[in-house]
Amino acid sequence: MALSAALLAVAGELTQRINEGVVARGFEGIRPAHGFAFVRLAPDGATVTELAAHLGVTKQAASQLVEEIVRKGYAERRPHPDDARARLVVLTGRGWACTRAAEEAAAEAVGAWVALLGEGGVRALRDQLGRIAPYGPIRPAW
């Protein structure tokens, strides 16, 4: 359990530091769940159904999340290029800027690890975790 607890604590701390970094860069009203959605919406957008599958939530929950990020100006709905019945949710310029802010905040958080473990230690950690990490979407803990 010690390893499990440590990994969960690191993941939670990383998520919190990224979110704090995004908010500090001027993106108000954003939460980690938005960031997990932005990952799926970049680069080409997604339908609500695709977003729900990515997040591991119901279509209704994904619809509510989309409504929230559209209202806040981070995404917009467009006609789907291949399916007249569907709508594509895509990031706006503000959504892309928020995504870049999250990448900067993540780099800062990992930079603190480099100070503790050294570049080689962080590289080794990344490589070892990459060997055991599941493939597929990274989902929020709701």
Side-chain angles (χ1 to χ4, degrees), residues 25-66:
R25 286 168 172 81
F27 296 94
E28 297 292 326
I30 203 79
R31 10 181 215 110
H34 298 133
F36 288 104
F38 291 2
V39 167
R40 179 60 185 91
L41 297 178
D44 299 320
T47 64
V48 169
T49 301
E50 292 166 339
L51 184 59
H54 172 80
L55 296 173
V57 300
T58 65
K59 193 172 157 184
Q60 180 182 7
S63 292
Q64 290 173 345
L65 184 67
V66 166

Side-chain angles (χ1 to χ4, degrees), residues 83-98:
D83 184 350
R85 298 167 298 155
R87 303 280 290 168
L88 198 61
V89 181
V90 298
L91 293 176
T92 62
R94 180 172 169 80
W96 281 108
C98 186

Side-chain angles (χ1 to χ4, degrees), residues 14-15 17-28 30 35 38 74 93-109:
L14 179 60
T15 301
R17 299 231 6 235
I18 293 169
N19 192 66
E20 289 170 353
V22 167
V23 171
R25 286 168 172 81
F27 296 94
E28 297 292 326
I30 203 79
F38 291 2
Y74 293 107
R94 180 172 169 80
W96 281 108
C98 186
T99 299
R100 286 189 297 277
E103 290 170 355
E104 293 168 4
E108 288 173 2

